Amino acid sequence: MMKSLNTYIPAAGTASRLGGIPKFYLPVKDNQSLIGNHIKNLNKLNNNKIIIGTHNHFFKSIKNLYPEANVKEIVSSSMVETVKKLGLSKTNDSLVVMPDTYFFDYEVVKRMRTKLISSDADIVLGLWKIRNDQKGKLGQCVIEKGFIKKIIDKNRNCKEKYFWGLIMWGPQFNKYILNSDKHFGISLNRAIANNLKVTYSLAKDKYFDCGTFDEYKFMLKNIK
C-alpha cells in the first residue's frame, strides 16, 4: 500500500491585493476556481488527506464548497507558518500546493511521490523551466548530479534554468521548517546544509503564479 500523504494548502491571506477577492477563488477553465482545480486533482490521489488553512473570512465558504477537505481557521504571516500551524505529520509524507497557482501536468505530483518512496531522497521538488517573466519572482534551483544543492530566491540575475513550484517531503524534514521562515526556500537551504537529500521531478507544462491580477490575466491568455 502506498504511504499516506498529507497535502497542505496554505490559503490564510486576507485578499488585500485584489480588493478583498481571494486569489484562490479566481476562475479558470472548466468552471473551476484556482483552488478548486487543485482540489479536483488532489482528490484523484490515493491515501491523500487535504488540509486547508484559511482566514476566518473564507472558512465557511471553503468548508461548504469542499467538504472533503479538512479546513482550519489560521492566523499567520507566511505560508510556512500556516503549514506549521496546520500540524506537520510525524508519520505521513507531506505536500504543499499553493492555492493561487495553476498548472496542468498533475502527473508531476505522482512522479514526485514515486521518487520520494522509491529513492533515498528526503525531499522531492516539482520543477518547471523558468520563463523570462518569472525571473526574480520565484525560487530557482542549483542542480548537481540529480540533486538540489541550493535555492536562490527571487534573484533577477540568477541564471539557473529551473524553479520549484511544489515541495514534498518525509517527516525528517519537519525539524528544519521554522515559523520564522518567510518561504520554504529558507527551510530547504537549511536542510541541505544539514545533509538532507533534495531531488526533483520535472513538470511537462507551464506554471502560473497568480500573485497579482496582471499575472492572472497572463495565465488566462496562455492556458488552453
Side-chain angles (χ1 to χ4, degrees):
M1 181 180 293
M2 182 165 283
K3 190 173 181 180
S4 294
L5 179 69
N6 284 8
T7 296
Y8 301 97
I9 302 180
T14 59
S16 58
R17 287 188 184 181
L18 296 183
I21 302 172
K23 291 176 289 184
F24 53 78
Y25 276 158
L26 291 172
V28 290
K29 62 181 184 178
D30 300 328
N31 296 317
Q32 293 283 353
S33 64
L34 289 168
I35 193 171
N37 177 69
H38 286 310
I39 292 173
K40 177 189 71 174
N41 285 287
L42 291 168
N43 278 332
K44 298 176 184 178
L45 300 178
N46 295 325
N47 299 327
N48 179 39
K49 181 180 181 181
I50 302 172
I51 307 169
I52 302 173
T54 191
H55 193 276
N56 66 340
H57 291 171
F58 314 118
F59 173 78
K60 287 185 179 179
S61 63
I62 293 178
K63 195 169 182 64
N64 289 333
L65 285 169
Y66 309 109
E68 66 272 37
N70 182 2
V71 186
K72 299 181 180 181
E73 291 185 28
I74 297 291
V75 176
S76 74
S77 59
S78 72
M79 70 169 178
V80 175
E81 186 180 5
T82 299
V83 172
K84 285 275 288 184
K85 286 186 174 182
L86 287 172
L88 299 179
S89 176
K90 297 179 180 179
T91 55
N92 297 346
D93 291 333
S94 299
L95 168 69
V96 168
V97 177
M98 293 303 296
D100 54 354
T101 62
Y102 181 86
F103 54 91
F104 182 76
D105 178 22
Y106 245 90
E107 292 297 313
V108 69
V109 177
K110 296 179 182 179
R111 295 193 295 273
M112 291 168 63
R113 198 173 186 186
T114 297
K115 183 167 282 191
L116 186 63
I117 293 169
S118 62
S119 73
D120 63 348
D122 303 293
I123 305 163
V124 180
L125 302 181
L127 302 192
W128 279 259
K129 191 169 184 179
I130 196 160
R131 305 188 306 267
N132 284 334
D133 64 285
Q134 294 174 317
K135 291 181 178 179
K137 300 177 180 179
L138 300 166
Q140 290 165 257
C141 302
V142 178
I143 303 172
E144 294 180 9
K145 298 179 180 180
F147 291 93
I148 308 294
K149 295 301 181 181
K150 187 178 181 180
I151 303 297
I152 301 175
D153 192 66
K154 297 182 179 180
N155 184 335
R156 189 69 179 83
N157 297 317
C158 180
K159 303 299 183 182
E160 301 301 327
K161 294 182 179 180
Y162 295 97
F163 70 91
W164 72 272
L166 292 168
I167 177 171
M168 185 182 293
W169 69 90
Q172 57 272 29
F173 179 45
N174 290 349
K175 66 179 180 180
Y176 300 105
I177 306 171
L178 306 182
N179 280 340
S180 58
D181 294 345
K182 296 299 182 183
H183 53 77
F184 273 102
I186 297 171
S187 316
L188 284 164
N189 283 334
R190 184 181 298 116
I192 292 168
N194 284 276
N195 299 315
L196 264 65
K197 292 183 178 180
V198 184
T199 189
Y200 60 90
S201 182
L202 295 178
K204 299 177 181 178
D205 66 342
K206 295 179 180 179
Y207 179 101
F208 299 92
D209 182 355
C210 302
T212 67
F213 196 67
D214 284 341
E215 289 167 329
Y216 168 67
K217 289 191 294 183
F218 180 79
M219 177 207 72
L220 291 180
K221 290 179 181 179
N222 285 273
I223 61 175
K224 296 180 180 180

